Amino acid sequence: MAIVTFLGTTDEVSTCDCCGKTRLKSTVALSLNGGEAVYYGVVCAARAIGRSEKEVRAGARAADKAKALAKGEVERKAYHDAFVARQERWAAWLQANGTGRDSYEREASLGGYAPAWRAFLASDRAAA
Ligand SMILES: [Zn+2]
């Protein structure tokens, strides 16, 4: 029997690669024996891999979930990196525009944290 890897569910492919049935609401993407993805309707997928339709749906859903989690991970990392980068620009901006020995004094020299932060955001946006 084939080694089956569930790749997920998609509504971008609406034709079953197995029987050619069209206008399916969605198809299940599978890799058989590590090969390229094929898109099957649930009925054909179940028949092709010798499992129940319920198992096919569960397998495809699990793959969808794993993909969504991986995507979230990437987005969180990008958000975090952007946050860190902005904090670094903020520190550099304070140093360039404020006076004083530390960030507190530099903020105070610019009228306090809130106006300093607003001025930084305006210049940061202008620079972007
Ligand atoms: Zn089919």
Side-chain angles (χ1 to χ4, degrees):
M1 207 171 90
I3 298 165
V4 181
T5 311
F6 287 105
L7 303 174
T9 317
T10 182
D11 52 14
E12 281 164 28
V13 179
S14 60
T15 303
C16 177
D17 282 339
C18 179
C19 66
K21 189 173 174 188
T22 58
R23 285 193 245 160
L24 297 166
K25 234 184 262 163
S26 67
T27 51
V28 173
L30 299 168
S31 165
L32 303 173
N33 296 319
E36 261 186 63
V38 291
Y39 298 87
Y40 285 5
V42 173
V43 176
C44 283
R47 209 172 290 150
I49 66 176
R51 294 197 205 165
S52 70
E53 291 175 28
K54 198 176 155 196
E55 284 173 303
V56 167
R57 285 202 187 87
R61 248 200 317 270
D64 289 340
K65 212 167 159 186
K67 263 197 290 197
L69 282 174
K71 190 165 170 266
E73 203 65 49
V74 168
E75 279 165 6
R76 270 195 298 283
K77 170 120 180 34
Y79 181 84
H80 174 80
D81 290 351
F83 177 81
V84 169
R86 194 173 70 176
Q87 289 308 111
E88 282 168 6
R89 292 198 303 279
W90 160 239
W93 183 89
L94 260 187
Q95 193 141 23
N97 293 279
T99 53
R101 284 164 301 176
D102 56 27
S103 62
Y104 183 80
E105 286 187 8
R106 289 177 197 128
E107 284 166 19
S109 77
L110 294 161
Y113 172 77
W117 179 249
R118 277 196 298 273
F120 160 70
L121 283 184
S123 87
D124 197 49
R125 266 196 295 272

